[in-house]
Amino acid sequence: MLFEFIATIAAAFGMAGLALIITHLSKLAGKRAPKWLIPLFAAIGMFAFQINQEYSWYGQQVEKLPKGVEVIKTAKSTEWFRPWSYAKPQILRFIAADIGNASVQVDNQDIHLFNLYLFERRRAVETVPQVIDCSIPARADYVIPEKGNTLSIDEHVKQTTAWRDLATDDPLFISICTDKQS
């Protein structure tokens, strides 16, 4: 975020420099440029850079995802204080699943363990361990067992998780259950 702040200031100085050149050229032409031209160009530079960063953030994050991690869901956002977002909604949050490293329960082939990654602009990435039962279908947050726990993973999952229904057309179900079976 520090680098983004520095880049925003640099964009403001760059545009202000362009306005300064325009004011000097207008003096050579015998006319005076308005005094507000330099601050206006600086503000335009700052806004243009920030808007560009907000729209390119999603693409930059997806490019950084390791192999096997797939985007499952995106959340487009429109805000009143970002009027340009009504013309083209921004993606400021998305969920990715670590499909490539999903593990299948040895005792029950319908149970899959994997990680979900929650991305949000200007926030740290959150990792949420998940378990999916493809036979029900349902998903739940996976509670990692404590040391010395003698329960099998199947028993642990049944006792510690709160299952939520999962639709068969849900991208998470399709990615984990359908792709693994075929």
Side-chain angles (χ1 to χ4, degrees):
M1 200 158 134
L2 176 64
F3 293 121
E4 188 174 328
F5 176 73
I6 293 169
T8 303
I9 299 301
F13 275 110
M15 288 297 287
L18 183 63
L20 193 59
I21 291 170
I22 292 171
T23 57
H24 284 298
L25 289 176
S26 67
K27 281 183 186 177
L28 291 175
K31 298 181 180 180
R32 289 193 49 87
K35 291 182 179 183
W36 47 262
L37 190 66
I38 294 173
L40 174 69
F41 270 54
I44 289 171
M46 291 170 66
F47 273 108
F49 177 76
Q50 282 298 312
I51 291 169
N52 177 59
Q53 283 299 102
E54 287 181 357
Y55 279 106
S56 63
W57 171 81
Y58 171 72
Q60 292 169 357
Q61 294 301 313
V62 170
E63 285 177 13
K64 292 178 189 176
L65 292 176
K67 187 177 179 182
V69 177
E70 297 178 14
V71 174
I72 297 298
K73 187 175 183 179
T74 58
K76 293 188 177 186
S77 173
T78 57
E79 304 288 343
W80 67 269
F81 54 88
R82 293 181 181 124
W84 53 87
S85 68
Y86 287 102
K88 183 180 178 199
Q90 300 168 297
I91 298 175
L92 299 177
R93 291 183 309 278
F94 70 94
I95 300 172
D98 193 354
I99 306 297
N101 293 318
S103 61
V104 178
Q105 169 64 24
V106 177
D107 299 335
N108 186 349
Q109 296 292 316
D110 288 328
I111 302 238
H112 300 270
L113 300 171
F114 64 98
N115 285 327
L116 274 184
Y117 301 105
L118 310 175
F119 289 82
E120 188 170 353
R121 178 134 167 86
R122 294 193 173 101
R123 298 194 79 181
V125 178
E126 289 184 45
T127 303
V128 182
Q130 292 284 297
V131 60
I132 283 187
D133 188 340
C134 295
S135 63
I136 296 178
R139 74 171 184 85
D141 294 342
Y142 180 66
V143 179
I144 299 172
E146 297 175 4
K147 281 189 173 182
N149 188 349
T150 58
L151 297 174
S152 70
I153 292 179
D154 201 24
E155 292 169 339
H156 175 73
V157 166
K158 286 179 184 174
Q159 291 180 11
T160 60
T161 55
W163 290 97
R164 292 184 284 279
D165 290 338
L166 187 65
T168 54
D169 62 346
D170 189 291
L172 192 58
F173 178 82
I174 293 168
S175 297
I176 296 287
C177 298
T178 310
D179 292 348
K180 299 283 184 185
Q181 292 171 356
S182 53

